[in-house]
Amino acid sequence: MVSRLKLTACASALCMMLSTPAFAQQSVPEPGTDLVELYTWLHANPELSFKESTSASIMAAELEALGFTVTTGLGNEWTRAKSQRDEGTVRDGVGGYGVVGVYENGEGPTVLIRADMDALPVPEQTGLDYASEVISTTWTGVESPVMHACGHDIHMTSWVGTARELMENKDDWSGTLVMLAQPAEELGLGAKALLEEGLYHDFPLPDYNLALHVSASAPAGTVAYSSGYALANVDSVDILVKGVGGHGAYPHTTKDPIVIGSSIVMALQTLVSRNVDPQTPAVVTVGSFTAGAKHNIISDGAELLLTVRSYDDATRQLLLDGITRIAKAQAEAFGAPEPEISIDNDYTPSTYNTPALADKAMTAIRSAIGEENVVEVTPVMGGEDFSQYGRTEEDVPGLIFWLGAINPDTYAAAQNGGDPLPSLHSPFFAPDAPPTIKTGVSSMTAAALALFSETASE
């Protein structure tokens, strides 16, 4: 095993968090552990973004046992530099935990299969016997309960199962297999960290990139996909509205930032309704509006936090330019100082599924799990930093598909007026693990084998 990350005494595969619940205190899974057992352990022991040391160690150990050449710690320097730059410190346990496994199996294409490892600062409320009771601190210093509320535990388990299947049947394919375990997808930063530290230059350059993601709105045993755009550009915009504070009884002596901010919020609605082509998807949402501290005081500032979603880059730029224009113009209309507008440079670009790749992979997946269990769906406005792997100068074709994760009976009941299904990131989200994992392994293995069936010249 090649290591880029100098591990501390507590970062080995056997290191556990202190004060964890009884289930979490069970031994760390060894290579070859039953997949459902591996899943339940990962679910009970989630790790936050940029703190995935134990998960990464488990993934690395599995690959090493299968015969891969394994590198750990990819992204560490980038991550620590960003933490120092953004937070002024690097907190305990924060680092880059990317794992790359390479297996060369003769002539043929290079196929990269990616799984993300990080969990969310969400208090689990599923009631499962193996529910997470872990409490940890984010890389920015906020203590929180932690849960795999976005299914990355399923992703890791399916990834391990796929690696096992492909290695067990390595006489049936030819080419180079790259298995990538990625940190910090939930921050939209993990893929960027790995690419910045040489993923495409220090390891075999993929001909294809593959990934899957659980779906909270499809039954276990099924796969859904989009050809072309699949997920959105995700931008975060902060607007600091500047006013002139004063007494609530004398508003004429102030420049009220709450009124100015409200005007900005309402004017922003015209971006989608009147500036964007009606046939082009776009979202501008003000998720937070904070100002003031007391009933009778007009504050001197207000803060708006926006999420902005789009697919194509032209629409993205139209929205960002429009936000800037509207915020400044509304402030000027009230005679107030120009607001400060900050657009996060670390945005998540839209995910584009290469149509030819999607067609080939889905043909193979239909053969593996049944024609009736594969459906094409419309793209969503969520974001996924898997997109980054297709946004480099190498222009590598990519595909991410949805893996149904809901118990079929629960799904059917919800479709017939029963309780609504918990969404991804919900504290109640609980995949139907055994069939979901089985389908994930079967589908990803089938897709990879279909791509390996091509010759290098193709």
Side-chain angles (χ1 to χ4, degrees), residues 48-52 78-95 121 136-143 184 186-189 344 346:
L48 291 167
S49 305
F50 288 143
K51 301 188 76 174
E52 310 94 334
W78 187 94
T79 298
R80 292 178 67 84
K82 179 173 180 57
S83 182
Q84 187 66 51
R85 183 173 61 252
D86 291 3
E87 296 297 312
T89 187
V90 181
R91 294 180 171 85
D92 289 345
V94 171
S136 185
T137 304
T138 69
W139 74 295
T140 58
V142 179
E143 186 175 84
E186 295 294 354
L187 300 177
L189 296 173
D344 191 347
D346 292 320

PDB file of all heavy atoms in Angstrom, residues 48-52 78-95 121 136-143 184 186-189 344 346:
ATOM      1  N   LEU A  48     -17.697  12.529   9.202  1.00  0.00           N
ATOM      2  CA  LEU A  48     -17.978  13.770   8.494  1.00  0.00           C
ATOM      3  C   LEU A  48     -16.956  14.049   7.393  1.00  0.00           C
ATOM      4  O   LEU A  48     -15.885  13.435   7.338  1.00  0.00           O
ATOM      5  CB  LEU A  48     -17.998  14.938   9.487  1.00  0.00           C
ATOM      6  CG  LEU A  48     -19.169  14.944  10.471  1.00  0.00           C
ATOM      7  CD1 LEU A  48     -18.917  15.948  11.588  1.00  0.00           C
ATOM      8  CD2 LEU A  48     -20.479  15.265   9.751  1.00  0.00           C
ATOM      9  N   SER A  49     -17.294  14.990   6.544  1.00  0.00           N
ATOM     10  CA  SER A  49     -16.433  15.371   5.422  1.00  0.00           C
ATOM     11  C   SER A  49     -15.056  15.795   5.896  1.00  0.00           C
ATOM     12  O   SER A  49     -14.916  16.535   6.879  1.00  0.00           O
ATOM     13  CB  SER A  49     -17.070  16.537   4.653  1.00  0.00           C
ATOM     14  OG  SER A  49     -18.384  16.222   4.248  1.00  0.00           O
ATOM     15  N   PHE A  50     -14.046  15.339   5.183  1.00  0.00           N
ATOM     16  CA  PHE A  50     -12.632  15.597   5.478  1.00  0.00           C
ATOM     17  C   PHE A  50     -12.188  14.970   6.791  1.00  0.00           C
ATOM     18  O   PHE A  50     -11.145  15.316   7.337  1.00  0.00           O
ATOM     19  CB  PHE A  50     -12.316  17.099   5.485  1.00  0.00           C
ATOM     20  CG  PHE A  50     -12.320  17.726   4.123  1.00  0.00           C
ATOM     21  CD1 PHE A  50     -12.800  19.019   3.941  1.00  0.00           C
ATOM     22  CD2 PHE A  50     -11.846  17.048   3.013  1.00  0.00           C
ATOM     23  CE1 PHE A  50     -12.794  19.614   2.686  1.00  0.00           C
ATOM     24  CE2 PHE A  50     -11.841  17.642   1.755  1.00  0.00           C
ATOM     25  CZ  PHE A  50     -12.321  18.923   1.584  1.00  0.00           C
ATOM     26  N   LYS A  51     -12.996  13.994   7.314  1.00  0.00           N
ATOM     27  CA  LYS A  51     -12.620  13.287   8.545  1.00  0.00           C
ATOM     28  C   LYS A  51     -12.854  11.781   8.391  1.00  0.00           C
ATOM     29  O   LYS A  51     -13.019  11.069   9.374  1.00  0.00           O
ATOM     30  CB  LYS A  51     -13.408  13.841   9.735  1.00  0.00           C
ATOM     31  CG  LYS A  51     -13.192  15.336   9.978  1.00  0.00           C
ATOM     32  CD  LYS A  51     -13.824  15.824  11.262  1.00  0.00           C
ATOM     33  CE  LYS A  51     -13.022  15.406  12.464  1.00  0.00           C
ATOM     34  NZ  LYS A  51     -13.546  15.982  13.732  1.00  0.00           N
ATOM     35  N   GLU A  52     -12.812  11.286   7.167  1.00  0.00           N
ATOM     36  CA  GLU A  52     -13.224   9.908   6.857  1.00  0.00           C
ATOM     37  C   GLU A  52     -12.078   8.910   7.016  1.00  0.00           C
ATOM     38  O   GLU A  52     -11.901   8.003   6.190  1.00  0.00           O
ATOM     39  CB  GLU A  52     -13.782   9.828   5.429  1.00  0.00           C
ATOM     40  CG  GLU A  52     -14.846  10.858   5.086  1.00  0.00           C
ATOM     41  CD  GLU A  52     -14.276  12.107   4.426  1.00  0.00           C
ATOM     42  OE1 GLU A  52     -13.094  12.420   4.668  1.00  0.00           O
ATOM     43  OE2 GLU A  52     -15.009  12.770   3.677  1.00  0.00           O
ATOM     44  N   TRP A  78      -4.009  19.498  -0.189  1.00  0.00           N
ATOM     45  CA  TRP A  78      -5.010  20.473  -0.644  1.00  0.00           C
ATOM     46  C   TRP A  78      -6.009  20.771   0.472  1.00  0.00           C
ATOM     47  O   TRP A  78      -6.349  21.920   0.734  1.00  0.00           O
ATOM     48  CB  TRP A  78      -5.741  19.925  -1.865  1.00  0.00           C
ATOM     49  CG  TRP A  78      -6.674  20.889  -2.528  1.00  0.00           C
ATOM     50  CD1 TRP A  78      -6.407  21.706  -3.573  1.00  0.00           C
ATOM     51  CD2 TRP A  78      -8.055  21.136  -2.175  1.00  0.00           C
ATOM     52  NE1 TRP A  78      -7.518  22.442  -3.907  1.00  0.00           N
ATOM     53  CE2 TRP A  78      -8.538  22.116  -3.065  1.00  0.00           C
ATOM     54  CE3 TRP A  78      -8.909  20.617  -1.194  1.00  0.00           C
ATOM     55  CZ2 TRP A  78      -9.853  22.587  -3.005  1.00  0.00           C
ATOM     56  CZ3 TRP A  78     -10.204  21.098  -1.130  1.00  0.00           C
ATOM     57  CH2 TRP A  78     -10.677  22.073  -2.034  1.00  0.00           C
ATOM     58  N   THR A  79      -6.473  19.708   1.132  1.00  0.00           N
ATOM     59  CA  THR A  79      -7.475  19.866   2.186  1.00  0.00           C
ATOM     60  C   THR A  79      -6.938  20.663   3.362  1.00  0.00           C
ATOM     61  O   THR A  79      -7.600  21.578   3.879  1.00  0.00           O
ATOM     62  CB  THR A  79      -7.940  18.485   2.665  1.00  0.00           C
ATOM     63  OG1 THR A  79      -8.552  17.793   1.573  1.00  0.00           O
ATOM     64  CG2 THR A  79      -8.926  18.609   3.810  1.00  0.00           C
ATOM     65  N   ARG A  80      -5.751  20.324   3.811  1.00  0.00           N
ATOM     66  CA  ARG A  80      -5.188  21.012   4.962  1.00  0.00           C
ATOM     67  C   ARG A  80      -4.890  22.480   4.637  1.00  0.00           C
ATOM     68  O   ARG A  80      -5.086  23.359   5.476  1.00  0.00           O
ATOM     69  CB  ARG A  80      -3.933  20.286   5.447  1.00  0.00           C
ATOM     70  CG  ARG A  80      -4.245  18.918   6.048  1.00  0.00           C
ATOM     71  CD  ARG A  80      -2.988  18.173   6.479  1.00  0.00           C
ATOM     72  NE  ARG A  80      -2.338  18.855   7.593  1.00  0.00           N
ATOM     73  CZ  ARG A  80      -2.675  18.696   8.871  1.00  0.00           C
ATOM     74  NH1 ARG A  80      -3.674  17.896   9.208  1.00  0.00           N
ATOM     75  NH2 ARG A  80      -2.029  19.336   9.831  1.00  0.00           N
ATOM     76  N   ALA A  81      -4.452  22.730   3.402  1.00  0.00           N
ATOM     77  CA  ALA A  81      -4.200  24.117   3.001  1.00  0.00           C
ATOM     78  C   ALA A  81      -5.498  24.910   2.960  1.00  0.00           C
ATOM     79  O   ALA A  81      -5.544  26.075   3.378  1.00  0.00           O
ATOM     80  CB  ALA A  81      -3.513  24.146   1.637  1.00  0.00           C
ATOM     81  N   LYS A  82      -6.578  24.283   2.469  1.00  0.00           N
ATOM     82  CA  LYS A  82      -7.865  24.983   2.423  1.00  0.00           C
ATOM     83  C   LYS A  82      -8.375  25.256   3.825  1.00  0.00           C
ATOM     84  O   LYS A  82      -8.886  26.351   4.106  1.00  0.00           O
ATOM     85  CB  LYS A  82      -8.899  24.180   1.639  1.00  0.00           C
ATOM     86  CG  LYS A  82     -10.255  24.878   1.592  1.00  0.00           C
ATOM     87  CD  LYS A  82     -11.223  24.187   0.695  1.00  0.00           C
ATOM     88  CE  LYS A  82     -12.567  24.922   0.679  1.00  0.00           C
ATOM     89  NZ  LYS A  82     -12.465  26.336   0.269  1.00  0.00           N
ATOM     90  N   SER A  83      -8.255  24.272   4.706  1.00  0.00           N
ATOM     91  CA  SER A  83      -8.705  24.464   6.085  1.00  0.00           C
ATOM     92  C   SER A  83      -7.938  25.596   6.754  1.00  0.00           C
ATOM     93  O   SER A  83      -8.530  26.444   7.442  1.00  0.00           O
ATOM     94  CB  SER A  83      -8.520  23.166   6.884  1.00  0.00           C
ATOM     95  OG  SER A  83      -8.994  23.316   8.197  1.00  0.00           O
ATOM     96  N   GLN A  84      -6.643  25.633   6.540  1.00  0.00           N
ATOM     97  CA  GLN A  84      -5.830  26.696   7.127  1.00  0.00           C
ATOM     98  C   GLN A  84      -6.222  28.047   6.555  1.00  0.00           C
ATOM     99  O   GLN A  84      -6.325  29.049   7.284  1.00  0.00           O
ATOM    100  CB  GLN A  84      -4.348  26.424   6.867  1.00  0.00           C
ATOM    101  CG  GLN A  84      -3.400  27.381   7.578  1.00  0.00           C
ATOM    102  CD  GLN A  84      -3.446  27.231   9.091  1.00  0.00           C
ATOM    103  OE1 GLN A  84      -3.334  26.131   9.620  1.00  0.00           O
ATOM    104  NE2 GLN A  84      -3.628  28.334   9.792  1.00  0.00           N
ATOM    105  N   ARG A  85      -6.481  28.076   5.253  1.00  0.00           N
ATOM    106  CA  ARG A  85      -6.832  29.331   4.584  1.00  0.00           C
ATOM    107  C   ARG A  85      -8.220  29.823   4.983  1.00  0.00           C
ATOM    108  O   ARG A  85      -8.420  31.011   5.257  1.00  0.00           O
ATOM    109  CB  ARG A  85      -6.770  29.114   3.070  1.00  0.00           C
ATOM    110  CG  ARG A  85      -7.037  30.350   2.229  1.00  0.00           C
ATOM    111  CD  ARG A  85      -6.781  30.083   0.762  1.00  0.00           C
ATOM    112  NE  ARG A  85      -7.638  29.037   0.207  1.00  0.00           N
ATOM    113  CZ  ARG A  85      -7.230  27.818  -0.137  1.00  0.00           C
ATOM    114  NH1 ARG A  85      -5.964  27.473   0.040  1.00  0.00           N
ATOM    115  NH2 ARG A  85      -8.091  26.943  -0.645  1.00  0.00           N
ATOM    116  N   ASP A  86      -9.190  28.914   5.045  1.00  0.00           N
ATOM    117  CA  ASP A  86     -10.572  29.311   5.308  1.00  0.00           C
ATOM    118  C   ASP A  86     -10.891  29.437   6.790  1.00  0.00           C
ATOM    119  O   ASP A  86     -11.681  30.298   7.193  1.00  0.00           O
ATOM    120  CB  ASP A  86     -11.540  28.302   4.691  1.00  0.00           C
ATOM    121  CG  ASP A  86     -11.547  28.332   3.177  1.00  0.00           C
ATOM    122  OD1 ASP A  86     -10.749  29.094   2.594  1.00  0.00           O
ATOM    123  OD2 ASP A  86     -12.337  27.584   2.574  1.00  0.00           O
ATOM    124  N   GLU A  87     -10.303  28.573   7.608  1.00  0.00           N
ATOM    125  CA  GLU A  87     -10.649  28.513   9.016  1.00  0.00           C
ATOM    126  C   GLU A  87      -9.560  29.055   9.932  1.00  0.00           C
ATOM    127  O   GLU A  87      -9.785  29.241  11.121  1.00  0.00           O
ATOM    128  CB  GLU A  87     -10.967  27.069   9.409  1.00  0.00           C
ATOM    129  CG  GLU A  87     -12.182  26.489   8.706  1.00  0.00           C
ATOM    130  CD  GLU A  87     -13.446  27.231   9.042  1.00  0.00           C
ATOM    131  OE1 GLU A  87     -13.689  27.485  10.243  1.00  0.00           O
ATOM    132  OE2 GLU A  87     -14.188  27.589   8.111  1.00  0.00           O
ATOM    133  N   GLY A  88      -8.361  29.246   9.384  1.00  0.00           N
ATOM    134  CA  GLY A  88      -7.254  29.723  10.202  1.00  0.00           C
ATOM    135  C   GLY A  88      -6.628  28.647  11.052  1.00  0.00           C
ATOM    136  O   GLY A  88      -5.748  28.917  11.871  1.00  0.00           O
ATOM    137  N   THR A  89      -7.065  27.395  10.857  1.00  0.00           N
ATOM    138  CA  THR A  89      -6.524  26.270  11.625  1.00  0.00           C
ATOM    139  C   THR A  89      -6.875  24.986  10.910  1.00  0.00           C
ATOM    140  O   THR A  89      -7.761  24.947  10.045  1.00  0.00           O
ATOM    141  CB  THR A  89      -7.111  26.245  13.054  1.00  0.00           C
ATOM    142  OG1 THR A  89      -6.448  25.238  13.819  1.00  0.00           O
ATOM    143  CG2 THR A  89      -8.607  25.954  13.033  1.00  0.00           C
ATOM    144  N   VAL A  90      -6.167  23.906  11.273  1.00  0.00           N
ATOM    145  CA  VAL A  90      -6.512  22.564  10.820  1.00  0.00           C
ATOM    146  C   VAL A  90      -6.865  21.762  12.067  1.00  0.00           C
ATOM    147  O   VAL A  90      -5.997  21.440  12.875  1.00  0.00           O
ATOM    148  CB  VAL A  90      -5.345  21.901  10.058  1.00  0.00           C
ATOM    149  CG1 VAL A  90      -5.754  20.506   9.591  1.00  0.00           C
ATOM    150  CG2 VAL A  90      -4.919  22.762   8.870  1.00  0.00           C
ATOM    151  N   ARG A  91      -8.132  21.457  12.234  1.00  0.00           N
ATOM    152  CA  ARG A  91      -8.589  20.782  13.448  1.00  0.00           C
ATOM    153  C   ARG A  91      -8.207  19.311  13.452  1.00  0.00           C
ATOM    154  O   ARG A  91      -7.928  18.710  12.411  1.00  0.00           O
ATOM    155  CB  ARG A  91     -10.101  20.963  13.599  1.00  0.00           C
ATOM    156  CG  ARG A  91     -10.485  22.415  13.850  1.00  0.00           C
ATOM    157  CD  ARG A  91     -11.982  22.613  14.012  1.00  0.00           C
ATOM    158  NE  ARG A  91     -12.260  23.974  14.467  1.00  0.00           N
ATOM    159  CZ  ARG A  91     -12.375  25.012  13.648  1.00  0.00           C
ATOM    160  NH1 ARG A  91     -12.254  24.853  12.336  1.00  0.00           N
ATOM    161  NH2 ARG A  91     -12.616  26.218  14.133  1.00  0.00           N
ATOM    162  N   ASP A  92      -8.235  18.721  14.637  1.00  0.00           N
ATOM    163  CA  ASP A  92      -7.854  17.315  14.793  1.00  0.00           C
ATOM    164  C   ASP A  92      -8.662  16.428  13.850  1.00  0.00           C
ATOM    165  O   ASP A  92      -9.893  16.543  13.768  1.00  0.00           O
ATOM    166  CB  ASP A  92      -8.089  16.861  16.235  1.00  0.00           C
ATOM    167  CG  ASP A  92      -7.102  17.481  17.212  1.00  0.00           C
ATOM    168  OD1 ASP A  92      -6.082  18.026  16.748  1.00  0.00           O
ATOM    169  OD2 ASP A  92      -7.364  17.414  18.437  1.00  0.00           O
ATOM    170  N   GLY A  93      -7.964  15.538  13.173  1.00  0.00           N
ATOM    171  CA  GLY A  93      -8.609  14.569  12.306  1.00  0.00           C
ATOM    172  C   GLY A  93      -8.916  15.055  10.910  1.00  0.00           C
ATOM    173  O   GLY A  93      -9.321  14.267  10.049  1.00  0.00           O
ATOM    174  N   VAL A  94      -8.762  16.352  10.649  1.00  0.00           N
ATOM    175  CA  VAL A  94      -9.087  16.892   9.330  1.00  0.00           C
ATOM    176  C   VAL A  94      -7.949  16.603   8.365  1.00  0.00           C
ATOM    177  O   VAL A  94      -6.770  16.863   8.669  1.00  0.00           O
ATOM    178  CB  VAL A  94      -9.350  18.413   9.409  1.00  0.00           C
ATOM    179  CG1 VAL A  94      -9.478  19.013   8.010  1.00  0.00           C
ATOM    180  CG2 VAL A  94     -10.604  18.681  10.230  1.00  0.00           C
ATOM    181  N   GLY A  95      -8.290  16.068   7.214  1.00  0.00           N
ATOM    182  CA  GLY A  95      -7.281  15.769   6.202  1.00  0.00           C
ATOM    183  C   GLY A  95      -7.925  15.274   4.929  1.00  0.00           C
ATOM    184  O   GLY A  95      -9.149  15.237   4.792  1.00  0.00           O
ATOM    185  N   PRO A 121     -23.984  16.110   9.121  1.00  0.00           N
ATOM    186  CA  PRO A 121     -24.277  16.516  10.505  1.00  0.00           C
ATOM    187  C   PRO A 121     -25.783  16.509  10.757  1.00  0.00           C
ATOM    188  O   PRO A 121     -26.431  17.552  10.865  1.00  0.00           O
ATOM    189  CB  PRO A 121     -23.674  17.922  10.580  1.00  0.00           C
ATOM    190  CG  PRO A 121     -23.725  18.435   9.178  1.00  0.00           C
ATOM    191  CD  PRO A 121     -23.530  17.245   8.286  1.00  0.00           C
ATOM    192  N   SER A 136     -19.716  14.178  16.457  1.00  0.00           N
ATOM    193  CA  SER A 136     -18.378  14.560  16.012  1.00  0.00           C
ATOM    194  C   SER A 136     -18.366  16.069  15.746  1.00  0.00           C
ATOM    195  O   SER A 136     -19.374  16.757  15.885  1.00  0.00           O
ATOM    196  CB  SER A 136     -17.996  13.780  14.746  1.00  0.00           C
ATOM    197  OG  SER A 136     -16.660  14.041  14.366  1.00  0.00           O
ATOM    198  N   THR A 137     -17.207  16.555  15.364  1.00  0.00           N
ATOM    199  CA  THR A 137     -17.026  17.976  15.088  1.00  0.00           C
ATOM    200  C   THR A 137     -16.670  18.169  13.622  1.00  0.00           C
ATOM    201  O   THR A 137     -15.769  17.498  13.106  1.00  0.00           O
ATOM    202  CB  THR A 137     -15.909  18.572  15.969  1.00  0.00           C
ATOM    203  OG1 THR A 137     -16.234  18.327  17.336  1.00  0.00           O
ATOM    204  CG2 THR A 137     -15.777  20.064  15.746  1.00  0.00           C
ATOM    205  N   THR A 138     -17.377  19.050  12.951  1.00  0.00           N
ATOM    206  CA  THR A 138     -17.104  19.303  11.542  1.00  0.00           C
ATOM    207  C   THR A 138     -15.727  19.930  11.363  1.00  0.00           C
ATOM    208  O   THR A 138     -15.108  20.399  12.324  1.00  0.00           O
ATOM    209  CB  THR A 138     -18.150  20.248  10.936  1.00  0.00           C
ATOM    210  OG1 THR A 138     -17.967  21.569  11.497  1.00  0.00           O
ATOM    211  CG2 THR A 138     -19.564  19.778  11.228  1.00  0.00           C
ATOM    212  N   TRP A 139     -15.272  19.973  10.123  1.00  0.00           N
ATOM    213  CA  TRP A 139     -13.956  20.553   9.844  1.00  0.00           C
ATOM    214  C   TRP A 139     -13.928  22.044  10.159  1.00  0.00           C
ATOM    215  O   TRP A 139     -12.863  22.624  10.318  1.00  0.00           O
ATOM    216  CB  TRP A 139     -13.559  20.279   8.396  1.00  0.00           C
ATOM    217  CG  TRP A 139     -14.284  21.108   7.362  1.00  0.00           C
ATOM    218  CD1 TRP A 139     -15.606  21.078   7.074  1.00  0.00           C
ATOM    219  CD2 TRP A 139     -13.698  22.085   6.494  1.00  0.00           C
ATOM    220  NE1 TRP A 139     -15.905  21.976   6.077  1.00  0.00           N
ATOM    221  CE2 TRP A 139     -14.746  22.606   5.697  1.00  0.00           C
ATOM    222  CE3 TRP A 139     -12.414  22.556   6.295  1.00  0.00           C
ATOM    223  CZ2 TRP A 139     -14.529  23.579   4.726  1.00  0.00           C
ATOM    224  CZ3 TRP A 139     -12.207  23.527   5.322  1.00  0.00           C
ATOM    225  CH2 TRP A 139     -13.248  24.033   4.552  1.00  0.00           C
ATOM    226  N   THR A 140     -15.135  22.660  10.294  1.00  0.00           N
ATOM    227  CA  THR A 140     -15.216  24.072  10.652  1.00  0.00           C
ATOM    228  C   THR A 140     -15.433  24.288  12.143  1.00  0.00           C
ATOM    229  O   THR A 140     -15.609  25.424  12.587  1.00  0.00           O
ATOM    230  CB  THR A 140     -16.347  24.760   9.875  1.00  0.00           C
ATOM    231  OG1 THR A 140     -17.587  24.100  10.164  1.00  0.00           O
ATOM    232  CG2 THR A 140     -16.089  24.708   8.372  1.00  0.00           C
ATOM    233  N   GLY A 141     -15.467  23.186  12.934  1.00  0.00           N
ATOM    234  CA  GLY A 141     -15.512  23.327  14.385  1.00  0.00           C
ATOM    235  C   GLY A 141     -16.869  23.267  15.030  1.00  0.00           C
ATOM    236  O   GLY A 141     -17.015  23.628  16.197  1.00  0.00           O
ATOM    237  N   VAL A 142     -17.906  22.786  14.326  1.00  0.00           N
ATOM    238  CA  VAL A 142     -19.255  22.705  14.876  1.00  0.00           C
ATOM    239  C   VAL A 142     -19.530  21.273  15.317  1.00  0.00           C
ATOM    240  O   VAL A 142     -19.453  20.343  14.508  1.00  0.00           O
ATOM    241  CB  VAL A 142     -20.302  23.146  13.844  1.00  0.00           C
ATOM    242  CG1 VAL A 142     -21.711  23.022  14.420  1.00  0.00           C
ATOM    243  CG2 VAL A 142     -20.033  24.571  13.378  1.00  0.00           C
ATOM    244  N   GLU A 143     -19.865  21.081  16.591  1.00  0.00           N
ATOM    245  CA  GLU A 143     -20.179  19.746  17.091  1.00  0.00           C
ATOM    246  C   GLU A 143     -21.605  19.366  16.711  1.00  0.00           C
ATOM    247  O   GLU A 143     -22.528  20.180  16.826  1.00  0.00           O
ATOM    248  CB  GLU A 143     -20.020  19.699  18.608  1.00  0.00           C
ATOM    249  CG  GLU A 143     -20.192  18.293  19.172  1.00  0.00           C
ATOM    250  CD  GLU A 143     -19.920  18.222  20.660  1.00  0.00           C
ATOM    251  OE1 GLU A 143     -20.854  18.512  21.443  1.00  0.00           O
ATOM    252  OE2 GLU A 143     -18.768  17.900  21.031  1.00  0.00           O
ATOM    253  N   ALA A 184     -15.521  13.956   1.218  1.00  0.00           N
ATOM    254  CA  ALA A 184     -16.069  15.323   1.175  1.00  0.00           C
ATOM    255  C   ALA A 184     -16.941  15.635  -0.033  1.00  0.00           C
ATOM    256  O   ALA A 184     -16.936  16.755  -0.526  1.00  0.00           O
ATOM    257  CB  ALA A 184     -14.920  16.336   1.257  1.00  0.00           C
ATOM    258  N   GLU A 186     -20.167  15.828   0.226  1.00  0.00           N
ATOM    259  CA  GLU A 186     -21.227  16.683   0.753  1.00  0.00           C
ATOM    260  C   GLU A 186     -20.831  18.157   0.777  1.00  0.00           C
ATOM    261  O   GLU A 186     -21.694  19.029   0.790  1.00  0.00           O
ATOM    262  CB  GLU A 186     -21.631  16.228   2.159  1.00  0.00           C
ATOM    263  CG  GLU A 186     -22.259  14.846   2.223  1.00  0.00           C
ATOM    264  CD  GLU A 186     -23.600  14.753   1.520  1.00  0.00           C
ATOM    265  OE1 GLU A 186     -24.117  15.795   1.066  1.00  0.00           O
ATOM    266  OE2 GLU A 186     -24.133  13.643   1.423  1.00  0.00           O
ATOM    267  N   LEU A 187     -19.550  18.430   0.782  1.00  0.00           N
ATOM    268  CA  LEU A 187     -19.076  19.814   0.711  1.00  0.00           C
ATOM    269  C   LEU A 187     -18.864  20.274  -0.721  1.00  0.00           C
ATOM    270  O   LEU A 187     -18.585  21.450  -0.960  1.00  0.00           O
ATOM    271  CB  LEU A 187     -17.757  19.962   1.480  1.00  0.00           C
ATOM    272  CG  LEU A 187     -17.777  19.614   2.968  1.00  0.00           C
ATOM    273  CD1 LEU A 187     -16.373  19.754   3.551  1.00  0.00           C
ATOM    274  CD2 LEU A 187     -18.754  20.504   3.725  1.00  0.00           C
ATOM    275  N   GLY A 188     -18.949  19.351  -1.665  1.00  0.00           N
ATOM    276  CA  GLY A 188     -18.654  19.683  -3.057  1.00  0.00           C
ATOM    277  C   GLY A 188     -17.186  19.950  -3.292  1.00  0.00           C
ATOM    278  O   GLY A 188     -16.819  20.610  -4.265  1.00  0.00           O
ATOM    279  N   LEU A 189     -16.325  19.413  -2.420  1.00  0.00           N
ATOM    280  CA  LEU A 189     -14.891  19.733  -2.489  1.00  0.00           C
ATOM    281  C   LEU A 189     -13.991  18.520  -2.689  1.00  0.00           C
ATOM    282  O   LEU A 189     -12.839  18.662  -3.078  1.00  0.00           O
ATOM    283  CB  LEU A 189     -14.463  20.448  -1.203  1.00  0.00           C
ATOM    284  CG  LEU A 189     -15.103  21.804  -0.930  1.00  0.00           C
ATOM    285  CD1 LEU A 189     -14.714  22.304   0.465  1.00  0.00           C
ATOM    286  CD2 LEU A 189     -14.689  22.822  -1.990  1.00  0.00           C
ATOM    287  N   ASP A 344     -19.396  32.082  -4.005  1.00  0.00           N
ATOM    288  CA  ASP A 344     -18.415  31.066  -3.615  1.00  0.00           C
ATOM    289  C   ASP A 344     -17.734  30.499  -4.853  1.00  0.00           C
ATOM    290  O   ASP A 344     -18.393  29.973  -5.760  1.00  0.00           O
ATOM    291  CB  ASP A 344     -19.115  29.955  -2.837  1.00  0.00           C
ATOM    292  CG  ASP A 344     -18.142  28.999  -2.166  1.00  0.00           C
ATOM    293  OD1 ASP A 344     -16.940  29.044  -2.488  1.00  0.00           O
ATOM    294  OD2 ASP A 344     -18.588  28.197  -1.323  1.00  0.00           O
ATOM    295  N   ASP A 346     -15.888  27.881  -4.965  1.00  0.00           N
ATOM    296  CA  ASP A 346     -15.910  26.419  -4.917  1.00  0.00           C
ATOM    297  C   ASP A 346     -17.314  25.898  -5.194  1.00  0.00           C
ATOM    298  O   ASP A 346     -17.907  25.166  -4.392  1.00  0.00           O
ATOM    299  CB  ASP A 346     -15.415  25.916  -3.560  1.00  0.00           C
ATOM    300  CG  ASP A 346     -13.940  26.191  -3.341  1.00  0.00           C
ATOM    301  OD1 ASP A 346     -13.160  26.040  -4.294  1.00  0.00           O
ATOM    302  OD2 ASP A 346     -13.566  26.571  -2.217  1.00  0.00           O
TER     303      ASP A 346
END
